[in-house]
Amino acid sequence: MGKSAKLPSPCIDVCKFRRDGHCAGCSMTKAQKKISKRLRSSGERAAFIEMLLHQQNGLGRYSHWRRTYAKKCAKRGVEMPGSMTAI
């Protein structure tokens, strides 16, 4: 049986830290980007993405990220984390 695909990185390749240290593309800080690179399981990534969604909601202006991340997930053939589909 093949290995199941894991959730892709929340990074959408913008990497412009202009919003008080938060990336204009995904809202992660540099420290959070380092953490996200170490996440191995889909469960860890899903929890991290849930945290990121809450952060984006607090900061505002990140609706572009949800669309781009949905495309990344679809390309990889994985479902987005649960609460993202309701947003």
Side-chain angles (χ1 to χ4, degrees):
M1 212 180 236
K3 195 176 182 181
S4 65
K6 67 179 178 178
L7 286 170
S9 166
C11 179
I12 58 170
D13 299 324
V14 173
C15 300
K16 304 274 186 201
F17 295 93
R18 295 186 176 148
R19 299 183 70 190
D20 294 326
H22 292 270
C23 176
C26 65
S27 85
M28 288 191 284
T29 63
K30 288 181 181 182
Q32 288 171 329
K33 283 197 180 247
K34 287 180 185 177
I35 290 168
S36 74
K37 289 177 183 178
R38 288 182 270 177
L39 302 175
R40 298 292 173 223
S41 74
S42 285
E44 289 174 336
R45 283 187 181 214
F48 186 84
I49 290 167
E50 291 289 334
M51 178 280 306
L52 198 62
L53 283 169
H54 290 287
Q55 179 171 295
Q56 290 173 353
N57 287 336
L59 293 170
R61 300 184 313 191
Y62 282 98
S63 60
H64 64 279
W65 178 85
R66 288 173 183 86
R67 289 187 304 272
T68 305
Y69 191 71
K71 288 178 186 176
K72 248 180 130 168
C73 288
K75 186 176 181 178
R76 203 174 264 196
V78 296
E79 284 190 42
M80 296 183 345
S83 69
M84 282 188 65
T85 56
I87 295 173

